[in-house]
Amino acid sequence: MPLVQHTVVDSPYEPLTLVAVDGVLSRLHMTGQRHRPPEETFGEPDPRPFDEAIRQLDAYFAGELTEFDLPLNLIGTPFQLRVWEQLLRIPYGETRTYGELAEELGNPGASRAVGLANGKNPVGIIVPCHRVIGAGGGLTGYGGGLDRKQRLLAFESGTAEPDALF
């Protein structure tokens, strides 16, 4: 049976719950997030597996880190895993549309499926699903809420400081 642990950390975007499976970051949940599982699935509270994730999140929110370098234990379907891998390739401060991601995956007609997989991303912010926008450039869907998505994109584009976004 896998060892599941969690900790809660402060962020400019409300508290974040980090969940590790066998010592490897597996989920990052925001307050009020869509698809947030019940808290009893978060395991025992223990901050020890999260030192590096917390350090990198702090550096990101301070504007000192633009790319995370963490081992991740992502659990999903093969298609979801492929989508989440593509999300990791979107550079800081840039966006892609669902259609562009579908094309990059070799299936241009799969933009809706990409959107569904994007919405199930278990490690928001670190796996930057907030960098995906609608075909017309508009903000569409975000498990953490469109206001957070807008604030994260503004922060990454340099048009807002994280503290000013809350």
Side-chain angles (χ1 to χ4, degrees):
M1 180 149 200
L3 175 63
V4 181
Q5 299 161 291
H6 80 278
T7 195
V8 178
V9 297
D10 289 326
S11 87
Y13 305 95
E14 299 183 9
L16 303 174
T17 302
L18 306 176
V19 179
V21 175
D22 292 331
V24 181
L25 184 65
S26 181
R27 301 186 315 230
L28 181 154
H29 299 294
M30 300 173 202
T31 304
Q33 175 181 339
R34 186 178 44 208
H35 306 301
R36 181 181 169 113
E39 291 192 21
E40 56 266 17
T41 67
F42 295 172
E44 294 297 317
D46 187 346
R48 289 177 294 173
F50 305 101
D51 289 343
E52 184 60 15
I54 293 168
R55 187 193 71 71
Q56 288 190 32
L57 282 165
D58 286 345
Y60 170 80
F61 292 129
E64 300 165 356
L65 181 81
T66 60
E67 187 175 330
F68 292 93
D69 182 21
L70 293 168
L72 299 172
N73 181 7
L74 301 177
I75 300 166
T77 68
F79 182 77
Q80 288 171 333
L81 293 170
R82 288 180 56 220
V83 170
W84 301 336
E85 179 64 34
Q86 285 300 117
L87 297 176
L88 290 167
R89 295 183 180 145
I90 304 172
Y92 180 91
E94 294 185 20
T95 59
R96 297 290 184 275
T97 67
Y98 297 100
E100 288 171 332
L101 286 177
E103 285 184 35
E104 290 171 10
L105 289 167
N107 192 348
S111 59
R112 291 184 75 173
V114 166
L116 291 171
N118 193 53
K120 297 278 189 164
N121 172 20
V123 187
I125 300 173
I126 292 171
V127 177
C129 54
H130 60 278
R131 296 180 188 158
V132 184
I133 59 174
L139 299 184
T140 59
Y142 184 59
L146 287 180
D147 60 326
R148 265 196 208 112
K149 181 175 187 166
Q150 183 175 20
R151 292 182 294 174
L152 284 164
L153 291 173
F155 169 63
E156 289 189 2
S157 71
T159 59
E161 295 293 324
D163 293 340
L165 304 174
F166 198 50

